[in-house]
Amino acid sequence: MARRIEYTGPPVLTLAQVAFQCRVEPEDMAPELIEQIIIPGVTSQCESKTGAAIRSAVYEEEWPADRQSGHALDVGQASDVVSVFSQQADGSWVEQVGPFDLRQDLRESFLHFLAVRPVGRLRIRYRAGLDIDLHPGVRNWLLMAAATIYRYPEVFLVGHTLAEFPSTFLDHLVAEITVPPRF
């Protein structure tokens, strides 16, 4: 399973977009609630539901020695490889210089080694993030989720986290980027 190293892009929603969806003036909203809890919360829920990177970030995952070239990366919407390290027999890690070919599908990205796949366990870092303009259904899912949470905070806000948004027809809005199950 890949882990997020750091976000590299801005949040995918703005206070103004959420305010417009809620039909409220931005100055009448609680900006801290929207920007620090609701927007990151619905983004995280969408990433969890789809397996795709919604907000641009750098991810790292490890491949076992027997995983072949051409395998899918764990996080969908990968755009480029940052680095590949191979573990040596003594346990040290050595950076590989490529060439690498990242082939993007609608839902998944596949890493191919144009030369021979490096021997041993691999540690792969890559950038991933959704082009939200190409997938307006995802933006709609995020906005509807944010507006619902804003309107009914007692149902979804638990302390400083969000309860899971119920599965409904909204899931079809993110279906085109949802990574298929691996097992």
Side-chain angles (χ1 to χ4, degrees), residues 20-32:
F20 181 80
Q21 182 72 22
C22 294
R23 293 170 180 75
V24 176
E25 292 298 321
E27 56 272 4
D28 294 336
M29 300 183 98
E32 300 82 21

Side-chain angles (χ1 to χ4, degrees), residues 2-8 57-61 124-126:
R3 67 183 178 101
R4 185 181 315 107
I5 303 298
E6 67 178 333
Y7 281 118
T8 57
V58 173
Y59 292 86
E60 182 178 270
E61 68 181 79
I124 304 161
R125 279 195 181 194
Y126 54 94

Side-chain angles (χ1 to χ4, degrees), residues 70-89:
H71 196 275
L73 295 169
D74 287 344
V75 176
Q77 304 301 313
S79 56
D80 65 293
V81 176
V82 174
S83 64
V84 175
F85 285 83
S86 64
Q87 189 173 31
Q88 305 303 297

